[in-house]
Amino acid sequence: MSGVLELVREDLRDFAGYASARSVTAAGPLRLDANESAWSSAADPAGSCVRYPDPQPDALVQALAALYGCGPERLVVGRGSDEAIDLLVRALCRPGRDAVAITPPVFGMYAVAVRLHAARLLEVPLVEIAGGFEVEFDRLAQVALEGGARLVFLCSPGNPTGNALALERVAMLADALQGRALVVVDEAYAEFSRAPSATALLDAHANIAVLRTLSKAHALAGARIGTVIADPGLARVLRRCQAPYPVPAPCAELAVAALQPDVLARTARQIATVRAERARMATRIAALGCVTRVYPSEGNFLLVRFSDAGAAFERLLQAGIVVRDQRAAPSLGDALRITIGTPEQNDRVLQALGAPATEAP
């Protein structure tokens, strides 16, 4: 048994999961094995959804493996990063015994999954420095070891902070937790960053897993396509812990279409626009009298502190603009997170916040 599989709950290491019709039977021209309807729906005359989908659609798995530069045996495709987070906590943490370490302020679904699976939550808050926020890696390793963590969630670029993590520090953390915990790097916003992906660490560190999604840069949030990239043995365990048919056929087809070369070229141009607009918005917002700080960001958003965040939030709402209120997050009682939109949308944000209509000469 590989070292990382020893982190899996003992009762799930040999768990077979549900053997769906699509996972155990051969293909044939007449399929009467899954109790599906013999007729297509009037709403789906082509019959594209009359059959259960492949649990891990091969065309999508191959396209994602090419996109992320890894072997398909490492991939688990599911319903967004949210399902991936849930699967990892479910498979590794024994309820009431094991813990999960996080670095708040950070994506709230980590703590939600921990609560739902009755694990313990360990928090090592980010430290604010001149350049933004940073993870206290040494402290995180100590807390994880002493607290019995089976999982450590990192977010790079961070949500809502926007900070990217140095791979050498992630690798050092994985070394410190070897045989004790899995280090999960959530890269939902990686396409907007120039930092290298933690997938580069997987061959040398079996106790690292990476989360990716098509929801952000690839503009498919409604399709709910997320991926865990992990040790092949761990990936097999996670697939067995999934619901029988996690990827609806229309969503898989849409995702494969989005990963064709011509669409990827358009996506790359949109990412370049986001980066340029992120820089422009950071400069313009920082010049506003109501703003006390704009944090550097490697994501498609900016974290902004205001002298009166509540008033700024209301001004934006009155202009028909909804941003993410961060005031309930640890240490962010005066902050809002603003997604980078189109240039025209960004101009509306600036106008609502009281910026001049044009840049000063």
Side-chain angles (χ1 to χ4, degrees):
M1 179 184 298
S2 69
V4 70
L5 289 184
E6 294 179 357
L7 299 176
V8 174
R9 284 169 39 186
E10 292 181 7
D11 58 314
L12 294 181
R13 290 174 189 170
D14 298 319
F15 177 60
Y18 175 71
S20 69
R22 291 298 169 265
S23 65
V24 299
T25 58
L30 179 58
R31 304 208 64 155
L32 300 176
D33 58 337
N35 299 335
E36 300 144 325
S37 174
W39 298 270
S40 60
S41 166
D44 177 33
S48 60
C49 291
V50 73
R51 300 295 182 188
Y52 285 113
D54 185 337
Q56 293 288 295
D58 184 65
L60 177 57
V61 169
Q62 295 297 331
L64 288 170
L67 180 68
Y68 299 137
C70 63
E73 71 280 357
R74 289 187 176 275
L75 299 184
V76 183
V77 185
R79 290 163 289 203
S81 296
D82 299 331
E83 184 187 22
I85 294 163
D86 181 86
L87 280 173
L88 286 163
V89 179
R90 182 189 311 170
L92 271 65
C93 293
R94 297 164 293 183
R97 296 176 59 183
D98 296 318
V100 176
I102 65 172
T103 59
V106 75
F107 184 40
M109 277 305 300
Y110 309 144
V112 169
V114 171
R115 176 73 179 273
L116 289 173
H117 292 289
R120 294 180 293 109
L121 185 66
L122 306 174
E123 296 184 332
V124 179
L126 297 175
V127 176
E128 187 169 355
I129 59 173
F133 288 88
E134 68 176 13
V135 174
E136 286 192 297
F137 279 97
D138 293 340
R139 175 65 177 157
L140 181 58
Q142 178 185 4
V143 169
L145 289 170
E146 294 177 354
R150 285 289 184 100
L151 281 166
V152 176
F153 281 105
L154 299 172
C155 196
S156 181
N159 174 18
T161 55
N163 56 299
L165 302 179
L167 290 193
E168 59 268 23
R169 299 306 306 273
V170 176
M172 291 174 62
L173 178 65
D175 287 338
L177 299 180
Q178 180 67 38
R180 300 287 297 275
L182 180 74
V183 177
V184 183
V185 185
D186 186 345
E187 294 185 342
Y189 301 94
E191 290 88 349
F192 303 105
S193 173
R194 300 190 187 278
S197 170
T199 54
L201 303 175
L202 295 179
D203 287 340
H205 299 85
N207 68 323
I208 291 178
V210 177
L211 306 184
R212 298 297 292 261
T213 180
L214 300 185
S215 293
K216 308 300 183 181
H218 295 274
L220 291 181
R224 310 304 299 128
I225 300 294
T227 306
V228 184
I229 310 171
D231 173 85
L234 177 58
R236 288 192 293 271
V237 170
L238 296 177
R239 291 188 207 108
R240 296 196 296 265
C241 292
Q242 275 186 303
Y245 305 104
V247 186
C251 296
E253 293 169 2
L254 186 61
V256 170
L259 300 180
Q260 299 309 302
D262 58 329
V263 182
L264 288 175
R266 180 184 177 186
T267 299
R269 292 193 294 271
Q270 293 169 339
I271 291 170
T273 298
V274 169
R275 289 173 174 169
E277 283 293 292
R278 182 178 65 197
R280 179 176 78 95
M281 287 290 284
T283 299
R284 294 292 305 279
I285 291 175
L288 299 175
C290 61
V291 169
T292 60
R293 183 166 188 185
V294 179
Y295 290 91
S297 176
E298 292 287 323
N300 67 334
F301 55 85
L302 292 171
L303 182 66
V304 182
R305 290 191 188 271
F306 291 85
S307 55
D308 188 338
F313 188 76
E314 289 302 320
R315 284 201 303 273
L316 290 164
L317 276 181
Q318 290 171 10
I321 300 166
V322 182
V323 299
R324 187 68 160 179
D325 190 347
Q326 294 292 328
R327 288 177 290 168
S331 74
L332 296 180
D334 57 355
L336 304 177
R337 190 192 70 195
I338 303 174
T339 302
I340 303 300
T342 66
E344 296 76 18
Q345 291 168 344
N346 297 332
D347 286 340
R348 288 179 57 191
V349 171
L350 292 170
Q351 182 179 11
L353 292 175
T358 59
E359 303 257 9

